[in-house]
Amino acid sequence: MTDDLELLALHGLAVKKAGGPDAVADILGADAATVSGALDAAVAAGRAVGAKGTFMVTPPGREWLADRYPEAFAGFRADPEATAAYERFERINRELLALFTDWQMMPTPGGERVPNDHSDADYDHGVVDRLGRQHERAEKVLDRFSALLPRMGEYRRRLDAAYDRVLAGETDYVSGARIDSYHTVWFELHEDLLRMLGREREEAP
């Protein structure tokens, strides 16, 4: 498995889409100052752009990553344990995608789905209970990934934190877009796995 910080920092930035050294370091479980230096080097090489502390991968940077992924993650891609864990991940992913939709849109007695205004506490509690069951399943999968690649434990830490905040009543942490919600962290985990394994995101049915 690669320990090339320049590659990992750019990979983390690609997973994050846009962000600063702290956000990328949070994905990698790395020191933010070290990640900052790697991102500055990526900017100097034309693989990223940065302004006011926020960085993004450039098209040449995406090509550079695509060229290096096969070698960098060859062992992970060839490991049957990683393949088996990913298949379990995808089964949970399908359940969670349905759950996030149900959190945002709720059925009416007539069968239509309307935006969830969160005025029905019983409905919301039901969705949160489902999140708890999927979180228990996800913990087991993340433990398997962490045994193969320790930095994946950062996702378990972040998902645990998001779930704890949901249980504490901060329900924006189910699927809020601008915070480290369960949905945000799960999406980044999925993107991270797809890139390492060289797979495409499944289209919704």
Side-chain angles (χ1 to χ4, degrees), residues 90 93-94 97-98 101 190 200-205:
E90 277 293 355
N93 184 56
R94 286 189 280 273
L97 292 180
T101 298
H190 197 183
E200 298 292 330
R201 192 176 294 271
E202 289 186 1
E203 296 294 332

Side-chain angles (χ1 to χ4, degrees), residues 45-65:
R47 297 175 189 132
V49 292
K52 299 181 179 178
T54 298
F55 295 80
M56 294 178 66
V57 181
T58 60
R62 288 195 288 272
E63 291 178 11
W64 186 82
L65 281 173

Side-chain angles (χ1 to χ4, degrees), residues 3 5 17 40 52 55 64 68 99 148 150 168 180 196:
D3 57 359
L5 181 61
K17 307 299 183 193
D40 287 341
K52 299 181 179 178
F55 295 80
W64 186 82
R68 280 155 182 78
L99 183 154
L148 300 171
D180 252 13
M196 287 193 296

Side-chain angles (χ1 to χ4, degrees), residues 152-181:
M152 301 307 285
E154 297 301 317
Y155 285 106
R156 176 163 182 178
R157 173 184 62 77
R158 295 171 66 205
L159 289 170
D160 282 345
Y163 181 58
D164 285 347
R165 297 188 80 150
V166 171
L167 292 182
E170 296 181 72
T171 52
D172 282 351
Y173 278 83
V174 173
S175 64
R178 297 184 180 278
I179 54 179
D180 252 13
S181 68

Side-chain angles (χ1 to χ4, degrees), residues 65-83:
L65 281 173
D67 287 345
R68 280 155 182 78
Y69 278 145
E71 181 180 353
F73 298 113
F76 194 65
R77 291 182 178 190
D79 192 326
E81 281 292 319
T83 301

